């Protein structure tokens, strides 16, 4: 079994190894969020979606592990394909432990996490001399997890990246403001990075909650907060691969 | 000009797009740390090393930018190849700004940062339910940058990943202990992830400084601190792609 990271969504952003594993697979068990274009790289494999976005059709973790284990013992070449990197908020660790407990040989093929790829595709460096000497990556799903951490970080000392946080962007902004981050700290939201409906919003912490038009709530989105956002001028964002129509409010940030 | 991430070192861990850009390039300007096997993907390009590990032969950032700009205006297809991801401690942001200021069209091709890929290849998930709901990535080069941050993070609340920190591992351990992290917090060091001399050391914060045999000081190494390290049993590490001879002290960690 290969635990494979699918990257942010464009099949060109698969690793060469991930591409090879998909081509050679006989069974692909993929998350619902992985785009068809990526899943279909595995032309000759049976392709099964095992986790829908949210809702009653999601299979439990145990069922997914059982599917992998059974298929492996049947002699299938199994790829477990997860969005981004399998070990970044992907429960890849639990699946690895399940395979391990069942004695199934496996490998991990890391993928591009959108925590880094989404800002990069918008021309935003997560570290930058004088702006951020490190970064923190959190999930927006659970305020009880991110709130205490954001409360302890010296404002603007590092870049904060929040995955799956679009729905919680107001709570995240409030949390940062309460922790002493200035309202004018630059912030960006990258939606559908590397995918057809890719868009980026650029603003500030105190306007993070204002814009309501982020497309479908289920679209993958990455929030980036910190002075690094101001490193990317509107022109940089355009050059880095975004179309002009994909940028909201780029003029609110002073470029250099 | 394409600012391309080379990933952790194995050419198979390039993205498909990075691979294509290297194949199509006429000039590759690469960091000294990028392995030959990756640089040589650009078979038909002139290949120039622009930044040696450390020492007098390093070209200044301005010279590198000038080289890229001149080559772009000459009509070369330039790839600026940087280890890992170009925007993670790679000064990619500065080079982007330089290209932008000169009006040169560019794109960013994100790469696998060893911040995530090195733990993944050792079977260590940077996030894991019940063990870490997020992670922090820092550079080991500058204690003045990481020390204040580590001092504020609630011990064991997130995974701490330190790049380029092998030489500073004692200082990092001391910093964590002073900030209240228990000495028995699991820790690992992954050296040369995905490369021929790949090795992983598994221990605890209070033994982080003890082992002295980390190969050449210049070998790329990633320190991972947090309960997630205990998610990977020795068996998992082996399965995830490491040979038995590549593991030090695996038995000091309690599996699950």
């Amino acid at each position: 079994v290969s635990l494979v990271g699918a990257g942010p969504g464009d099949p060109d952003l698969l690793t060469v190894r991930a591409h090879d594993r998909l081509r050679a697979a006989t069974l692909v068990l993929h998350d619902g969020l992985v785009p068809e274009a990526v899943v279909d790289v595995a032309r000759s494999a049976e392709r099964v979606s095992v986790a829908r976005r949210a809702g009653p059709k999601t299979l439990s973790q145990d069922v997914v592990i059982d599917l992998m284990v059974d298929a492996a013992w049947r002699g299938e070449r199994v790829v477990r394909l997860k969005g981004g990197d399998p070990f970044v908020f992907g429960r890849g660790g639990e699946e690895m432990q399940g395979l391990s407990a069942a004695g199934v040989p496996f490998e991990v093929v890391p993928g591009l996490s959108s925590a880094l790829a989404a800002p990069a595709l918008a021309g935003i460096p997560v570290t930058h001399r004088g702006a951020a000497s490190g970064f923190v990556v959190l999930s927006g799903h659970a305020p009880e997890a991110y709130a205490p951490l954001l409360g302890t970080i010296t404002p603007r000392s590092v870049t904060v990246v929040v995955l799956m946080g679009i729905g919680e962007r107001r709570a995240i902004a409030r949390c940062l403001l309460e922790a002493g981050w200035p309202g004018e700290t630059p912030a960006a939201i990258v939606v559908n990075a590397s995918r057809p409906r890719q868009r980026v919003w650029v603003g500030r912490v105190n306007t993070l909650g204002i814009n309501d038009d982020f497309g479908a709530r289920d679209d993958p989105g990455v929030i980036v907060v910190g002075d690094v956002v101001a490193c990317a001028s509107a022109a940089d964002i355009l050059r880095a691969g975004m179309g002009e129509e994909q940028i909201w409010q780029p003029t609110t940030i002073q470029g250099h």
Side-chain angles (χ1 to χ4, degrees), chain A:
Chain A
V1 177
S2 295
L3 295 174
V4 174
D10 187 319
D12 273 3
L13 295 178
L14 284 166
T15 64
V16 173
R17 185 175 297 163
H19 202 268
D20 291 348
R21 293 295 183 273
L22 285 169
R23 277 286 156 85
T26 59
L27 174 66
V28 175
L29 301 170
H30 64 90
D31 288 348
L33 277 172
V34 178
E36 251 177 68
V38 174
V39 176
D40 289 348
V41 170
R43 285 178 201 157
S44 51
E46 185 186 355
R47 286 153 267 172
V48 181
S49 174
V50 294
R52 314 229 161 207
R53 290 170 188 229
K57 291 209 178 163
T58 305
L59 298 181
S60 80
Q61 203 71 11
D62 287 347
V63 174
V64 173
I65 292 168
D66 286 348
L67 279 173
M68 287 193 284
V69 171
D70 289 350
W73 292 141
R74 277 200 313 273
E76 306 255 24
R77 287 191 299 279
V78 183
V79 166
R80 174 69 177 105
L81 187 65
K82 300 173 90 72
D85 182 89
F87 281 169
V88 176
F89 303 117
R91 298 210 180 165
E94 290 164 62
E95 296 184 9
M96 174 184 75
Q97 291 175 344
L99 293 168
S100 194
V104 173
F106 67 87
E107 66 166 356
V108 178
V109 181
L112 283 185
S113 170
S114 56
L116 303 179
L121 291 167
I124 300 168
V126 289
T127 68
H128 194 73
R129 259 206 304 184
S133 57
F135 57 98
V136 174
V137 179
L138 301 167
S139 159
H141 274 328
E144 67 280 9
Y146 63 74
L149 182 66
L150 291 185
T152 59
I153 294 174
T154 308
R156 298 175 99 150
S157 59
V158 292
T159 304
V160 173
V161 179
V162 186
L163 298 181
M164 301 167 287
I166 293 190
E168 295 295 327
R169 62 192 186 279
R170 287 184 188 80
I172 290 162
R174 200 163 48 235
C175 186
L176 287 164
L177 293 169
E178 280 170 8
W181 290 62
E184 72 266 23
T185 308
I189 303 180
V190 186
V191 183
N192 288 315
S194 90
R195 301 181 186 208
R197 292 187 299 127
Q198 168 176 283
R199 295 216 285 175
V200 59
W201 170 87
V202 181
R204 301 189 177 277
V205 167
N206 57 15
T207 57
L208 193 56
I210 291 174
N211 196 312
D212 267 328
D213 175 27
F214 286 99
R217 203 187 149 97
D218 275 352
D219 284 347
V222 177
I223 297 173
V224 188
V225 178
D227 291 316
V228 293
V229 172
C231 291
S233 67
D236 294 335
I237 294 174
L238 289 173
R239 287 203 185 84
M242 301 269 177
E244 191 145 14
E245 74 290 354
Q246 294 171 318
I247 305 180
W248 294 292
Q249 309 184 21
T251 53
T252 58
I253 289 286
Q254 294 299 318
H256 37 102

